[in-house]
Amino acid sequence: MKISKRSIFRAFLAAGLCWAGMAMADDHFSTATDPTWKAECGSCHVAYPPQLLPAGSWRALMSGLDKHFGSDASLDPQTAAGIAAFLEENAGRDRSSSRTPALRITETRWFVHEHDEVPDRAWKNPQVKSAANCTACHIDGDKGNFSEHNIRIPK
Ligand code: HEC
Ligand code: HEC
């Protein structure tokens, strides 16, 4: 590995993520998975890894599924409760100082830092459309693999 400012930053980031209890083995997020979650929360977009938001964020998201980013993602109460429990058990640590929980991974400081080298034109590419469209670039994101070795930015 080249020793650059970025690689030092990355080492710190990796340490920080481990410290936060985000199990990262071989550049994979821990593969905590649940079939109901995967089916229900992976139908409109990739099932976002639970580690990427703290429990409070998942709780807030799960209590407003009828008004979910302009969509109705409502579930019957039992299914919703099961998914909420899975997400909260596998949630990341809350590293924000804000009292209102973030509802978007893409607005967390972690996300912005990790993607600071992605050029503007990539975000604006019609094949990407939204930063939340992880699988536009993370080609194995649907398998929970967000490794830097499995990225292809659409041209
Ligand atoms: C009916 C379709 C639909 C279903 C089902 C759905 N979502 Fe979403 N979700 C959306 C849309 C639309 C967005 C906004 C995407 C964008 O901004 O490009 C979104 C965004 C999100 C975001 C924010 C992404 C970001 O960081 O910008 C999270 C987190 C999320 N959904 C979690 C969930 C969870 C958890 C479930 C399962 C309980 C779920 N979604 C089910 C449609 C859906
Ligand atoms: C426009 C393309 C693009 C989109 C969309 C995108 N990413 Fe990325 N992502 C990248 C690039 C490029 C990197 C940086 C790789 C590097 O140089 O470390 C990255 C890095 C990452 C990393 C760190 C990987 C590693 O091995 O260090 C994670 C985790 C990640 N992204 C998750 C996500 C998630 C979750 C979403 C959706 C909410 C998302 N990304 C959306 C392009 C994208």
Side-chain angles (χ1 to χ4, degrees), residues 6 10 13 24 27 29 46 48-49 52 105-106 110-111 114-115 117-119 122-123 128 130-138 146-149 151-154:
R6 177 156 177 88
R10 289 174 55 86
L13 183 79
M24 283 185 75
D27 273 338
F29 282 99
V46 68
Y48 301 115
L52 297 184
I105 298 159
T106 51
W110 167 81
F111 186 92
E114 193 59 55
H115 293 85
E117 288 185 4
V118 179
W123 299 121
V128 176
S130 163
N133 187 10
C134 321
T135 46
C137 304
H138 295 276
F146 289 88
S147 158
E148 60 180 312
H149 307 296
I151 298 174
R152 193 162 55 227
I153 299 182

Side-chain angles (χ1 to χ4, degrees), residues 61-141:
L61 274 160
M62 292 304 293
S63 59
L65 285 179
D66 55 328
K67 292 190 189 71
H68 183 75
F69 305 96
S71 289
D72 184 353
S74 312
L75 293 167
D76 67 85
Q78 222 181 329
T79 309
I83 292 175
F86 163 76
L87 289 168
E88 289 179 39
E89 264 163 41
N90 294 286
R93 200 174 70 90
D94 190 357
R95 280 166 295 155
S96 104
S97 48
S98 156
R99 269 194 228 177
T100 2
L103 297 182
R104 284 187 179 270
I105 298 159
T106 51
E107 284 174 1
T108 61
R109 259 174 39 209
W110 167 81
F111 186 92
V112 175
H113 270 300
E114 193 59 55
H115 293 85
D116 62 356
E117 288 185 4
V118 179
D120 247 15
R121 73 187 127 74
W123 299 121
K124 292 191 186 122
N125 186 322
Q127 284 173 265
V128 176
K129 290 195 278 281
S130 163
N133 187 10
C134 321
T135 46
C137 304
H138 295 276
I139 52 179
D140 291 322

